[in-house]
């Protein structure tokens, strides 16, 4: 299993194709905070809920200086279908080789319905303006995660 990132670690740079096949690199976002979240598959119920939650809160997050990038093992064509079907506004990138997921500790053994399987570990890594890991959250729940993240980051409007 790939090692998990800790606060203060340098976030591994990546360049992955987005839903339109254009390359997106983490290094392009230097100077801004980036929420990089890893999810198992586009067009599945939990991943749709999570992507919609990020989209619904994108204005709040962007207003606080955060960019959001969702990473899955899907190919750009499937990501485009996902984006269109759900009217998603977050940047979605595909990592079919799973190299980026492994570098972030978001791919490996996990429990699924009591069985140990190898797959994508639903994770969220917050990268600061300098490209360092601010927070690394693993085995997060799809439902309610974005609201909790906003609260934990102190962004919730009271």
């Amino acid at each position: 299993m790939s090692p998990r990132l800790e606060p203060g670690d340098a976030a591994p740079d990546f360049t992955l194709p987005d839903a339109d096949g254009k390359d997106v690199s983490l290094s392009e976002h230097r100077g801004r905070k980036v929420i990089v979240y890893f999810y198992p598959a586009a067009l599945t119920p939990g991943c749709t809920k999570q992507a919609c939650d990020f989209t619904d809160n994108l204005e709040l997050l962007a207003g606080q200086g955060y960019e959001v990038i969702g990473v899955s093992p899907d190919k750009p064509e499937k990501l485009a279908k996902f984006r269109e079907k759900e009217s998603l506004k977050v940047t979605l990138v595909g990592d079919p080789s799973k190299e980026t997921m492994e570098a972030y500790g978001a791919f490996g053994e996990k429990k699924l319905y009591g069985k140990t399987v190898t797959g994508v570990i639903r994770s969220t890594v917050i990268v600061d303006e300098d490209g360092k890991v601010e927070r690394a959250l693993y085995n997060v729940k799809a439902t309610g995660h974005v609201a909790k993240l906003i609260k934990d980051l102190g962004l919730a409007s009271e």
Side-chain angles (χ1 to χ4, degrees), residues 88-108:
L88 301 174
K89 304 254 184 297
V90 294
T91 301
L92 301 173
V93 298
D95 181 21
S97 72
K98 302 178 187 73
E99 282 175 32
T100 298
M101 292 182 170
E102 287 179 4
Y104 276 78
F107 188 83

Side-chain angles (χ1 to χ4, degrees), residues 38 40 56 60 68 79 120-121 128 137 144-145 156:
F38 299 89
D56 292 346
L60 168 71
V68 179
L79 296 174
V120 177
I121 299 162
D128 71 13
L137 310 161
H145 173 61

Side-chain angles (χ1 to χ4, degrees), residues 58-74:
L58 201 55
E59 206 170 294
L60 168 71
L61 293 166
Q64 298 290 333
Y66 289 89
E67 308 258 337
V68 179
I69 301 174
V71 184
S72 74
D74 299 307

